[in-house]
């Protein structure tokens, strides 16, 4: 049985999509969803999918509390899916090459602290980019600087709004993220 821990801070559409992707698999998967936001909609989605959840505070994140939770579970993969806090270095050290993140741009462009969600999409539109996309990468100590696992792009016509870009990125995430996770887990 493969154990997967998903971290999310918001609505949880990627987390839900990942769990649903593996639900009908012939292989066994066990999911856990952690959030730093007690009001995040991802927690409701997890409950509807019968996935155990855990709320982690910033104190938990920056101490050995989170590390101990993860050591108990011994996940095969840790997925950051819309998790907005910097992942702690003690967890990165304990689970090398087992923590991945999805970023809503073609890294190295539009990465780094504060570059998430609509902040990225606004920057893409303001800079009149001809394309944008998603990057799935390993997590290291620096925001959005881990080794790239996968990138795919979508063309922009120049008249998109940040909401239009967000919609195109969401479609790429929903299509590709579960497939890349599947590939990582089963290589």
């Amino acid at each position: 049985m493969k154990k997967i821990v998903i971290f999310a801070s918001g609505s949880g559409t990627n987390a839900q999509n990942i769990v649903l992707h593996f639900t009908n698999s012939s292989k066994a998967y066990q999911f856990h969803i952690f959030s730093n936001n007690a009001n995040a909609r991802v927690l409701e989605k997890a409950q509807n999918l019968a996935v155990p959840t855990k709320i982690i505070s910033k104190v938990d994140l920056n101490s050995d509390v989170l590390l101990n939770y993860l050591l108990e579970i011994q996940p095969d993969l840790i997925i950051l899916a819309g998790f907005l806090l910097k992942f702690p270095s003690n967890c990165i050290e304990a689970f090398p090459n087992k923590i991945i993140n999805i970023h809503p741009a073609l890294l190295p462009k539009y990465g780094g602290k504060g570059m998430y969600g609509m902040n990225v999409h606004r920057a893409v539109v303001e800079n009149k980019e001809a394309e944008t996309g998603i990057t799935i990468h390993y997590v290291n100590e620096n925001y959005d600087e881990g080794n790239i696992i996968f990138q795919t792009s979508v063309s922009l016509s120049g008249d998109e709004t940040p909401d239009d870009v967000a919609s195109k990125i969401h479609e790429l995430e929903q299509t590709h993220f579960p497939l890349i996770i599947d590939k990582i887990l089963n290589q």
Side-chain angles (χ1 to χ4, degrees), residues 56-171:
I56 52 165
S57 68
K58 279 191 176 182
V59 172
D60 295 343
L61 197 68
N62 295 309
S63 68
D64 285 342
V65 172
L66 175 60
L67 177 61
N68 290 333
Y69 288 146
L70 292 173
L71 289 171
E72 259 180 56
I73 295 169
Q74 282 298 307
D76 294 283
L77 192 63
I78 299 167
I79 301 165
L80 309 186
F83 186 67
L84 301 182
L85 300 179
K86 189 168 184 184
F87 212 69
S89 58
N90 63 346
C91 294
I92 295 168
E93 290 167 16
F95 296 95
N97 295 317
K98 287 191 176 186
I99 307 169
I100 66 170
N101 183 39
I102 188 163
H103 187 76
L106 296 170
L107 292 175
K109 284 185 171 184
Y110 306 108
K113 186 172 181 165
M115 292 306 286
Y116 59 88
M118 290 307 285
N119 295 342
V120 172
H121 308 318
R122 277 191 289 277
V124 166
V125 169
E126 287 168 8
N127 288 307
K128 300 180 184 347
E129 294 287 350
E131 69 175 5
T132 190
I134 60 170
T135 303
I136 299 169
H137 64 92
Y138 287 105
V139 173
N140 67 14
E141 310 77 39
N142 302 311
Y143 285 110
D144 304 322
E145 291 183 13
N147 290 336
I148 293 172
I149 300 164
F150 174 83
Q151 287 185 311
T152 190
S153 62
V154 62
S155 296
L156 300 175
S157 64
D159 61 355
E160 286 93 353
T161 66
D163 285 330
D164 295 333
V165 173
S167 180
K168 288 183 175 189
I169 292 300
H170 183 72
E171 192 173 312

Side-chain angles (χ1 to χ4, degrees), residues 14-36:
N14 276 323
Q16 179 181 36
N17 189 45
I18 292 163
V19 172
L20 290 173
H21 174 84
F22 289 95
T23 297
N24 297 320
S25 174
S26 60
K27 297 177 182 171
Y29 295 92
Q30 179 187 77
F31 286 92
H32 298 265
I33 293 181
F34 286 30
S35 183
N36 61 301

